[in-house]
mmCIF file of all heavy atoms in Angstrom:
data_model
loop_
_atom_site.group_PDB
_atom_site.id
_atom_site.type_symbol
_atom_site.label_atom_id
_atom_site.label_comp_id
_atom_site.label_asym_id
_atom_site.label_seq_id
_atom_site.Cartn_x
_atom_site.Cartn_y
_atom_site.Cartn_z
ATOM 1 N N GLU A 179 -23.453 30.297 47.192
ATOM 2 C CA GLU A 179 -23.394 31.747 47.173
ATOM 3 C C GLU A 179 -24.605 32.287 46.325
ATOM 4 O O GLU A 179 -25.172 33.296 46.749
ATOM 5 C CB GLU A 179 -22.069 32.197 46.446
ATOM 6 C CG GLU A 179 -20.846 31.878 47.263
ATOM 7 C CD GLU A 179 -20.823 32.577 48.628
ATOM 8 O OE1 GLU A 179 -21.241 33.732 48.718
ATOM 9 O OE2 GLU A 179 -20.383 31.955 49.619
ATOM 10 N N ILE A 180 -24.929 31.574 45.240
ATOM 11 C CA ILE A 180 -26.112 32.139 44.448
ATOM 12 C C ILE A 180 -27.416 31.958 45.266
ATOM 13 O O ILE A 180 -28.197 33.014 45.294
ATOM 14 C CB ILE A 180 -26.158 31.309 43.194
ATOM 15 C CG1 ILE A 180 -25.082 31.740 42.190
ATOM 16 C CG2 ILE A 180 -27.540 31.618 42.429
ATOM 17 C CD1 ILE A 180 -25.112 30.863 40.899
ATOM 18 N N MET A 181 -27.583 30.890 45.964
ATOM 19 C CA MET A 181 -28.682 30.704 46.844
ATOM 20 C C MET A 181 -28.834 31.764 47.921
ATOM 21 O O MET A 181 -29.997 32.200 48.231
ATOM 22 C CB MET A 181 -28.792 29.321 47.308
ATOM 23 C CG MET A 181 -29.068 28.186 46.328
ATOM 24 S SD MET A 181 -30.621 28.537 45.432
ATOM 25 C CE MET A 181 -31.862 28.844 46.689
ATOM 26 N N LYS A 182 -27.646 32.054 48.609
ATOM 27 C CA LYS A 182 -27.761 33.092 49.713
ATOM 28 C C LYS A 182 -28.296 34.356 49.030
ATOM 29 O O LYS A 182 -29.168 35.096 49.670
ATOM 30 C CB LYS A 182 -26.350 33.290 50.272
ATOM 31 C CG LYS A 182 -25.850 32.163 51.056
ATOM 32 C CD LYS A 182 -24.424 32.468 51.581
ATOM 33 C CE LYS A 182 -23.853 31.297 52.261
ATOM 34 N NZ LYS A 182 -22.406 31.574 52.672
ATOM 35 N N ALA A 183 -27.672 34.801 47.829
ATOM 36 C CA ALA A 183 -28.133 35.978 47.270
ATOM 37 C C ALA A 183 -29.585 36.036 46.825
ATOM 38 O O ALA A 183 -30.350 36.864 47.023
ATOM 39 C CB ALA A 183 -27.238 36.276 46.031
ATOM 40 N N VAL A 184 -30.002 34.868 46.208
ATOM 41 C CA VAL A 184 -31.448 34.726 45.763
ATOM 42 C C VAL A 184 -32.359 34.813 46.930
ATOM 43 O O VAL A 184 -33.434 35.500 46.826
ATOM 44 C CB VAL A 184 -31.557 33.424 44.923
ATOM 45 C CG1 VAL A 184 -33.077 33.119 44.676
ATOM 46 C CG2 VAL A 184 -30.883 33.465 43.644
ATOM 47 N N GLU A 185 -32.087 34.156 47.986
ATOM 48 C CA GLU A 185 -33.008 34.198 49.109
ATOM 49 C C GLU A 185 -33.132 35.635 49.683
ATOM 50 O O GLU A 185 -34.151 36.013 50.045
ATOM 51 C CB GLU A 185 -32.472 33.164 50.188
ATOM 52 C CG GLU A 185 -32.588 31.730 49.802
ATOM 53 C CD GLU A 185 -32.021 30.773 50.744
ATOM 54 O OE1 GLU A 185 -31.559 31.234 51.877
ATOM 55 O OE2 GLU A 185 -31.869 29.554 50.392
ATOM 56 N N TRP A 186 -31.943 36.397 49.701
ATOM 57 C CA TRP A 186 -31.997 37.694 50.249
ATOM 58 C C TRP A 186 -32.791 38.600 49.269
ATOM 59 O O TRP A 186 -33.546 39.464 49.714
ATOM 60 C CB TRP A 186 -30.565 38.218 50.473
ATOM 61 C CG TRP A 186 -30.470 39.573 51.075
ATOM 62 C CD1 TRP A 186 -30.461 39.850 52.305
ATOM 63 C CD2 TRP A 186 -30.350 40.796 50.258
ATOM 64 N NE1 TRP A 186 -30.362 41.254 52.534
ATOM 65 C CE2 TRP A 186 -30.294 41.827 51.237
ATOM 66 C CE3 TRP A 186 -30.341 41.169 48.979
ATOM 67 C CZ2 TRP A 186 -30.213 43.239 50.955
ATOM 68 C CZ3 TRP A 186 -30.194 42.477 48.582
ATOM 69 C CH2 TRP A 186 -30.146 43.495 49.586
ATOM 70 N N LEU A 187 -32.544 38.430 47.978
ATOM 71 C CA LEU A 187 -33.266 39.270 46.935
ATOM 72 C C LEU A 187 -34.786 38.947 47.000
ATOM 73 O O LEU A 187 -35.559 39.995 46.867
ATOM 74 C CB LEU A 187 -32.651 38.877 45.599
ATOM 75 C CG LEU A 187 -31.210 39.373 45.303
ATOM 76 C CD1 LEU A 187 -30.714 38.719 44.031
ATOM 77 C CD2 LEU A 187 -31.063 40.840 45.181
ATOM 78 N N ARG A 188 -35.124 37.633 47.168
ATOM 79 C CA ARG A 188 -36.539 37.389 47.300
ATOM 80 C C ARG A 188 -37.178 38.016 48.504
ATOM 81 O O ARG A 188 -38.337 38.613 48.442
ATOM 82 C CB ARG A 188 -36.789 35.889 47.376
ATOM 83 C CG ARG A 188 -36.291 35.161 46.116
ATOM 84 C CD ARG A 188 -36.644 33.661 46.243
ATOM 85 N NE ARG A 188 -38.134 33.458 46.185
ATOM 86 C CZ ARG A 188 -38.747 32.334 46.138
ATOM 87 N NH1 ARG A 188 -37.950 31.141 46.041
ATOM 88 N NH2 ARG A 188 -40.048 32.178 46.085
ATOM 89 N N LYS A 189 -36.451 37.923 49.596
ATOM 90 C CA LYS A 189 -36.946 38.445 50.879
ATOM 91 C C LYS A 189 -37.217 39.933 50.763
ATOM 92 O O LYS A 189 -38.152 40.551 51.321
ATOM 93 C CB LYS A 189 -36.079 38.062 52.022
ATOM 94 C CG LYS A 189 -36.506 38.566 53.322
ATOM 95 C CD LYS A 189 -35.551 38.188 54.398
ATOM 96 C CE LYS A 189 -35.874 38.771 55.828
ATOM 97 N NZ LYS A 189 -34.984 38.316 56.817
ATOM 98 N N ASN A 190 -36.322 40.591 50.066
ATOM 99 C CA ASN A 190 -36.358 42.114 49.991
ATOM 100 C C ASN A 190 -37.003 42.620 48.717
ATOM 101 O O ASN A 190 -36.873 43.836 48.490
ATOM 102 C CB ASN A 190 -34.987 42.670 50.129
ATOM 103 C CG ASN A 190 -34.385 42.429 51.472
ATOM 104 O OD1 ASN A 190 -34.521 43.212 52.429
ATOM 105 N ND2 ASN A 190 -33.536 41.329 51.648
ATOM 106 N N ARG A 191 -37.576 41.733 47.894
ATOM 107 C CA ARG A 191 -38.225 42.143 46.717
ATOM 108 C C ARG A 191 -37.397 42.971 45.805
ATOM 109 O O ARG A 191 -37.772 44.017 45.397
ATOM 110 C CB ARG A 191 -39.596 42.928 47.057
ATOM 111 C CG ARG A 191 -40.606 42.117 47.824
ATOM 112 C CD ARG A 191 -41.326 41.068 46.922
ATOM 113 N NE ARG A 191 -42.311 40.325 47.672
ATOM 114 C CZ ARG A 191 -43.560 40.672 47.721
ATOM 115 N NH1 ARG A 191 -43.957 41.798 47.093
ATOM 116 N NH2 ARG A 191 -44.391 40.014 48.421
ATOM 117 N N ILE A 192 -36.150 42.476 45.558
ATOM 118 C CA ILE A 192 -35.232 43.206 44.686
ATOM 119 C C ILE A 192 -35.031 42.336 43.400
ATOM 120 O O ILE A 192 -34.752 41.149 43.541
ATOM 121 C CB ILE A 192 -33.858 43.378 45.381
ATOM 122 C CG1 ILE A 192 -34.050 44.219 46.568
ATOM 123 C CG2 ILE A 192 -32.911 43.974 44.348
ATOM 124 C CD1 ILE A 192 -32.767 44.475 47.421
ATOM 125 N N GLY A 193 -35.265 42.956 42.199
ATOM 126 C CA GLY A 193 -35.213 42.269 40.896
ATOM 127 C C GLY A 193 -33.733 41.855 40.586
ATOM 128 O O GLY A 193 -32.842 42.619 40.899
ATOM 129 N N ALA A 194 -33.598 40.726 39.885
ATOM 130 C CA ALA A 194 -32.255 40.339 39.496
ATOM 131 C C ALA A 194 -32.334 39.435 38.388
ATOM 132 O O ALA A 194 -33.301 38.660 38.081
ATOM 133 C CB ALA A 194 -31.528 39.683 40.682
ATOM 134 N N LEU A 195 -31.239 39.401 37.484
ATOM 135 C CA LEU A 195 -31.141 38.537 36.361
ATOM 136 C C LEU A 195 -29.684 37.997 36.343
ATOM 137 O O LEU A 195 -28.736 38.739 36.082
ATOM 138 C CB LEU A 195 -31.450 39.184 35.008
ATOM 139 C CG LEU A 195 -31.304 38.408 33.771
ATOM 140 C CD1 LEU A 195 -32.003 37.135 33.710
ATOM 141 C CD2 LEU A 195 -31.643 39.345 32.590
ATOM 142 N N ILE A 196 -29.533 36.654 36.548
ATOM 143 C CA ILE A 196 -28.253 36.019 36.570
ATOM 144 C C ILE A 196 -28.172 35.003 35.535
ATOM 145 O O ILE A 196 -28.940 34.091 35.455
ATOM 146 C CB ILE A 196 -27.985 35.489 37.939
ATOM 147 C CG1 ILE A 196 -28.008 36.482 39.079
ATOM 148 C CG2 ILE A 196 -26.613 34.776 38.053
ATOM 149 C CD1 ILE A 196 -27.977 35.845 40.505
#
Side-chain angles (χ1 to χ4, degrees):
E179 293 298 322
I180 291 176
M181 286 307 306
K182 287 179 187 177
V184 168
E185 290 173 11
W186 185 85
L187 292 166
R188 294 186 67 172
K189 181 179 179 181
N190 292 276
R191 298 286 181 89
I192 295 175
L195 174 56
I196 302 171

